[in-house]
Amino acid sequence: MSIAVLVVLAVVAAGGLVLTARGERVRPPWGAALLTVLLAAAGVVAWAAEDPADGLLQGVTVAAVLAAVLGGGPVATAVLRAADPAAVGVAGGPQDPSILRGGAWIGVLERAAVAAALLAGSAEALAVVLAVKGLGRFAELRAPAAAERFIVGTLASGLWAAACVGVAVLLRG
């Protein structure tokens, strides 16, 4: 069962990489849903699994971090699309990629840092990661659409990273 968790997390990481390579504008909306379902399945299997060997646990942990880093972009994009007020005729919503340029790369680094902080069990490090991100974008957050994109994207990205690492933590027992 532990090997199944490793395989599913590897598939999530690979799927996230493929979706990320397609670009933010052409990602299918069902891609993030598929990644989420696969991650949930990995969580269920991890919860039911026996104690894994140390080497396998390390592999699952690495796969969880890769899934967090690579799969978070498509998931955050899908959440931003769902939160986009442009669907009801309001321009400049959180989906507009011209708002907060560079957010995709910042999100990759943020998810890696969130995963590392959670695996280390350091709530302080998690707070520092989120504070640094907020301070770095402070000047840009005066615009309501930018603030909304920042909050929605940060929460989606951070929750995805926490869920991926949570699978590895579940397997630890």
Side-chain angles (χ1 to χ4, degrees), residues 5 7-8 30 42 47 64 75 77-78 90 94 105 109 130 135-136 145 150 153 160 162 171:
V5 174
V7 169
V8 173
W30 52 264
W47 180 61
V75 171
T77 300
V90 178
W105 284 107
L109 297 172
L130 297 176
L135 289 172
F150 176 82
W160 175 260
L171 196 60

Side-chain angles (χ1 to χ4, degrees), residues 34-53:
L34 180 61
L35 292 178
T36 304
V37 167
L38 287 171
L39 184 62
V44 168
V45 173
W47 180 61
E50 302 289 324
D51 290 335

Side-chain angles (χ1 to χ4, degrees), residues 9-126:
L9 284 174
V11 169
V12 169
L17 181 61
V18 167
L19 289 170
T20 298
R22 291 194 69 183
E24 193 171 321
R25 294 184 187 259
V26 294
R27 285 184 196 141
W30 52 264
L34 180 61
L35 292 178
T36 304
V37 167
L38 287 171
L39 184 62
V44 168
V45 173
W47 180 61
E50 302 289 324
D51 290 335
D54 283 341
L56 186 59
L57 183 58
Q58 292 169 351
V60 167
T61 302
V62 169
V65 172
L66 288 173
V69 170
L70 299 173
V75 171
T77 300
V79 171
L80 285 166
R81 276 192 189 134
D84 191 2
V88 292
V90 178
Q95 177 54 27
D96 185 356
S98 65
I99 298 172
L100 300 177
R101 304 273 314 155
W105 284 107
I106 293 169
V108 167
L109 297 172
E110 170 195 0
R111 288 186 298 277
V114 166
L118 291 173
L119 286 169
S122 176
E124 296 84 3
L126 184 61

